[in-house]
Amino acid sequence: MATKAGVGYSEEFDSYLAGQQAAIEAMSPLEGQEPHLVILFTTSRHHPETFSEAVRSVVGAVPLFIGGYGVGVITNTSLGYDGYQSGVMAIYSDTINFDTFLVEHLAINEYEAGRRLAQMIDAHPFEGQDPSLMIFYDAVDRSSGKLKMNMATPLCKGINSVLDCSTIPTTGAGLTGDMMFRPTYQWFQDKIYQNTVMGLGISGKAKKFSSIMHGCRPASGYHLVTAAEGNTILEIDHKPALEFMQALLGAKTGLAFEDYGFFLTIAINRGDKYAEFNPYNYANRMCVNVHKERQGIVMVENDIAEGTEIQFMRRSVDFEYMKTETSKLLGSIKAEGMVPQFAFYIDCAGRAAHYFGSDIEEATIIQKELRDIPMIGWYAGVEIGMVQEKCEPLEWTGVLNIIAE
């Protein structure tokens, strides 16, 4: 029978009905075969235990479970966010192998959690050609009663310290259930967790093809961070960061300091800074707040340290570019004599039309290009892609992954 994959979508308010509805739809293309892997995603409005129980009632006790919260869900024919959206993908295959990995207590030390996950994967006896890896981590830590974001930068550094991601391509997402950063949950096998990082290994006759759909282009030359602390940039080119930004943007923008949060995007170019713009060398970092007293800019990640050269980016979701990149990816699969089986699309929640201020949902471009290739996607807090043969957190991007055999 080779590989069969199906996807279901629901916007039912009731978590049990939503799980049943999505699972029944996902199981239909499997033609009675019991799936080997089931992937679950819902927004934070659903009850995690109730939803997974409902899915189990449809798919049976055997399949591996993995998944978590997203701001919204995307499938081939549906998408939505900020409501009761849920999605399920069911996969049967006698040629593709799936292995799942879990590390708890992510918030204690993100680097150590990434290193431990990578050690588990590095020691695992994968079958077939070189495996690929998807990672899902809880982006929100409220274990102390206050909001703290789990950082993807040290997590990825921990993974890269052990794994050669050029041979085990690693992509993934930071899981966030809504834009209010309420507590998130992860499904792993038959248990429900928080503050974990999970890995999904895909091996056998399968190969993962990935593309980064950037939503930003450079809007400035290079500037030097001359003082920083943690995830706060204090000085740029030896000037207080807020003062520098005000001078750079000019008074006519009408932006107050408070508007810089979620408006400013800064990038680090991992490639040749004198070469033509290559989006695959860029890692975007988003500003989330300002520190008025210290004249600082607060970033999502903490890797923009003193001495880092940065560029300011202009947000621009180019639909034609996305269409071209998806077409290239499908062309690469065809050129290798392989056939797409299913896909994952990890989309920055900020790119949703409601937040971006667009009349068109950019994810519809992916839907149209993939056509009947079963796809589940979700709106994430952080996207993880491959930059210079290492896994790296990205922001304001979409990461498309197609599994082919």
Side-chain angles (χ1 to χ4, degrees):
M1 188 176 175
T3 300
K4 292 280 186 180
V7 182
Y9 178 87
S10 176
E11 292 196 357
E12 275 282 350
F13 290 5
D14 183 277
S15 295
Y16 198 87
L17 291 177
Q20 280 192 323
Q21 186 179 77
I24 290 169
E25 185 181 354
M27 288 291 288
S28 180
L30 273 61
E31 301 174 344
Q33 290 286 347
E34 190 172 67
H36 294 101
L37 176 70
V38 175
I39 300 169
L40 305 81
F41 277 96
T42 77
T43 66
S44 63
R45 298 195 183 202
H46 280 293
H47 189 266
E49 289 89 351
T50 304
F51 185 83
S52 59
E53 286 171 7
V55 175
R56 274 285 181 214
S57 74
V58 175
V59 305
V62 174
L64 300 172
F65 267 27
I66 196 167
Y69 277 4
V71 175
V73 175
I74 306 163
T75 69
N76 297 77
T77 56
S78 302
L79 67 84
Y81 46 88
D82 283 347
Y84 289 85
Q85 294 80 18
S86 61
V88 173
M89 174 178 272
I91 306 169
Y92 166 88
S93 182
D94 54 18
T95 52
I96 300 176
N97 305 317
F98 303 104
D99 295 282
T100 54
F101 308 87
L102 176 79
V103 173
E104 295 185 73
H105 311 301
L106 170 65
I108 295 174
N109 188 320
E110 294 101 328
Y111 177 89
E112 181 62 20
R115 191 184 67 83
R116 286 170 54 204
L117 180 73
Q119 286 177 328
M120 294 166 64
I121 293 161
D122 191 48
H124 189 77
F126 291 104
E127 297 178 9
Q129 62 186 47
D130 290 337
S132 62
L133 179 65
M134 297 288 297
I135 58 174
F136 314 99
Y137 78 93
D138 189 340
V140 180
D141 173 26
R142 287 190 175 272
S143 57
S144 67
K146 296 181 180 180
L147 172 62
K148 171 184 172 293
M149 302 301 291
N150 289 321
M151 296 285 178
T153 299
L155 174 67
C156 288
K157 284 182 178 178
I159 293 170
N160 289 321
S161 72
V162 176
L163 278 188
D164 180 358
C165 290
S166 66
T167 59
I168 305 181
T170 301
T171 54
L175 305 183
T176 307
D178 55 53
M179 297 299 272
M180 299 300 292
F181 303 105
R182 294 182 179 91
T184 58
Y185 293 90
Q186 298 86 58
W187 289 285
F188 187 86
Q189 312 306 16
D190 285 324
K191 292 185 179 180
I192 296 167
Y193 295 88
Q194 289 182 291
N195 266 307
T196 70
V197 54
M198 305 178 294
L200 171 62
I202 302 171
S203 60
K205 295 183 178 180
K207 181 177 179 180
K208 181 173 71 174
F209 293 77
S210 298
S211 181
I212 299 171
M213 308 289 174
H214 272 279
C216 296
R217 295 186 68 86
S220 79
Y222 290 92
H223 297 277
L224 184 68
V225 174
T226 48
E229 185 178 303
N231 62 332
T232 302
I233 299 172
L234 298 172
E235 286 185 5
I236 302 171
D237 291 348
H238 300 285
K239 295 179 181 178
L242 287 183
E243 179 184 318
F244 175 88
M245 288 308 309
Q246 193 175 40
L248 181 70
L249 294 173
K252 292 183 180 180
T253 62
L255 292 173
F257 288 158
E258 292 82 358
D259 297 322
Y260 291 172
F262 295 103
F263 171 80
L264 291 178
T265 304
I266 293 172
I268 307 168
N269 183 359
R270 303 296 190 195
D272 181 355
K273 72 176 186 177
Y274 297 110
E276 184 179 351
F277 172 65
N278 180 351
Y280 282 90
N281 289 334
Y282 274 72
N284 293 334
R285 298 289 181 262
M286 190 166 63
C287 172
V288 292
N289 208 341
V290 296
H291 198 305
K292 280 189 176 180
E293 291 76 15
R294 304 186 71 188
Q295 292 285 291
I297 302 170
V298 183
M299 308 303 295
V300 170
E301 296 292 331
N302 60 359
D303 61 332
I304 302 182
E306 182 178 335
T308 304
E309 282 193 310
I310 60 173
Q311 285 178 280
F312 293 93
M313 305 295 280
R314 171 177 56 86
R315 292 183 182 179
S316 172
V317 179
D318 186 335
F319 299 128
E320 195 60 37
Y321 156 74
M322 291 180 63
K323 183 178 178 180
T324 300
E325 287 298 304
T326 306
S327 180
K328 284 181 183 178
L329 197 63
L330 292 169
S332 298
I333 295 171
K334 185 177 181 180
E336 293 197 25
M338 303 185 83
V339 179
Q341 298 299 323
F342 51 90
F344 307 117
Y345 185 48
I346 303 159
D347 202 4
C348 173
R351 286 161 60 113
H354 176 74
Y355 298 110
F356 181 53
S358 171
D359 295 329
I360 302 172
E361 294 287 358
E362 53 85 27
T364 60
I365 306 300
I366 305 298
Q367 290 175 327
K368 289 176 184 176
E369 292 301 307
L370 293 189
R371 298 181 184 178
D372 58 352
I373 301 169
M375 182 262 287
I376 190 166
W378 59 98
Y379 292 97
V382 174
E383 310 78 61
I384 294 173
M386 293 290 294
V387 179
Q388 294 284 305
E389 297 190 334
K390 293 184 178 182
C391 70
E392 172 138 11
L394 307 168
E395 286 146 27
W396 205 254
T397 60
V399 179
L400 176 61
N401 307 272
I402 301 177
I403 309 302
E405 64 175 335

